[in-house]
Amino acid sequence: EAQVTQNPRYLITVTGKKLTVTCSQNMNHEYMSWYRQDPGLGLRQIYYSMNVEVTDKGDVPEGYKVSRKEKRNFPLILESPSPNQTSLYFCASSRLVAGVPYEQYFGPGTRLTVT
Amino acid sequence: GDSVTQMEGPVTLSEEAFLTINCTYTATGYPSLFWYVQYPGEGLQLLLKATKADDKGSNKGFEATYRKETTSFHLEKGSVQVSDSAVYFCALVLGGSQGNLIFGKGTKLSVKP
């Protein structure tokens, strides 16, 4: 089954404790991306990757890191989480058509709470 | 900068009513346009798309037409069902080296039996 998986689905942590949210896709997609969803703000892109070893900042990259060492995986790293990073996070992947990520497939989401 | 504006919700309709959710965009280039749907507790799913002016995307009874002259991509359905209750997001993506998807803030639809 074609899918994007994220782990963990729920996470409660404390300020400053490093954490990683994993994302994996089994569709051989070139493009992967991370979004955060907050009430009243919709979805905002954090980072995206057009291919292995190619990553770029989205609209709200501060406080986050990513890596793309393998095509299927795109982990999101919070080196020193803060309460304003409490949010619902989605990973997505897509094939590229003429450089455009059509038909993004989204993971189920990770609800992160930073106290 | 590039942006997407959707009508604010929530929108509450009775079953079998006609649905319109307005979406307009601002873009420096020629974007592709999308509607995504998020059912309660789930991730987003692509509902329909249009890649150039005058294209009509359609799926599950929903339709939207890419109107370049009015920079709009309004979502319509002739007869909504309770199962259509969800949050709907309009989005655009520009080609070239940018590659990032820009979303509207979402419109929550509730359909009552």
Side-chain angles (χ1 to χ4, degrees), chain A:
Chain A
E1 179 190 356
Q3 60 182 351
V4 178
T5 56
Q6 295 179 228
N7 282 292
R9 294 288 313 277
Y10 302 91
L11 178 60
I12 300 174
T13 189
V14 296
T15 299
K17 185 177 181 181
K18 181 179 178 179
L19 67 91
T20 299
V21 183
T22 64
C23 173
S24 183
Q25 51 95 2
N26 63 359
M27 296 168 278
N28 201 37
H29 286 163
E30 300 93 344
Y31 180 91
M32 297 186 75
S33 181
W34 277 102
Y35 300 88
R36 60 178 290 174
Q37 184 177 23
D38 302 290
L41 296 176
L43 278 91
R44 295 176 293 168
Q45 190 175 50
I46 303 169
Y47 269 94
Y48 64 97
S49 170
M50 300 290 266
N51 214 326
V52 175
E53 301 291 2
V54 180
T55 63
D56 209 345
K57 296 177 180 179
D59 297 319
V60 288
E62 293 78 20
Y64 304 94
K65 287 177 56 178
V66 292
S67 69
R68 187 90 182 274
K69 297 188 187 328
E70 305 166 283
K71 198 171 188 179
R72 63 183 295 125
N73 296 323
F74 191 46
L76 179 69
I77 303 157
L78 284 71
E79 295 269 4
S80 182
S82 62
N84 64 12
Q85 294 178 297
T86 293
S87 188
L88 179 58
Y89 291 86
F90 289 102
C91 180
S93 74
S94 174
R95 63 189 178 101
L96 290 174
V97 178
V100 179
Y102 288 115
E103 300 191 35
Q104 294 196 28
Y105 290 79
F106 282 78
T110 295
R111 186 166 293 282
L112 172 65
T113 302
V114 183
T115 61

Side-chain angles (χ1 to χ4, degrees), chain A residues 9 31 35 37 40-45 48 50 56 58-59 88 90 98-109, chain B residues 32 34 36 38 41-46 49-51 87 89 93-106:
Chain A
R9 294 288 313 277
Y31 180 91
Y35 300 88
Q37 184 177 23
L41 296 176
L43 278 91
R44 295 176 293 168
Q45 190 175 50
Y48 64 97
M50 300 290 266
D56 209 345
D59 297 319
L88 179 58
F90 289 102
V100 179
Y102 288 115
E103 300 191 35
Q104 294 196 28
Y105 290 79
F106 282 78
Chain B
S32 296
F34 305 85
Y36 282 83
Q38 185 179 29
E42 298 184 12
L44 279 76
Q45 303 172 27
L46 179 65
K49 67 179 186 290
T51 58
V87 180
F89 292 92
V93 68
L94 291 163
S97 61
Q98 294 175 269
N100 54 322
L101 200 62
I102 298 170
F103 285 90
K105 293 184 178 180

Side-chain angles (χ1 to χ4, degrees), chain B residues 57-78:
Chain B
S58 61
N59 186 24
K60 299 181 181 179
F62 291 90
E63 293 184 340
T65 301
Y66 189 144
R67 301 286 187 201
K68 186 179 175 185
E69 62 277 10
T70 54
T71 62
S72 64
F73 193 54
H74 305 321
L75 182 69
E76 296 181 336
K77 187 174 185 182

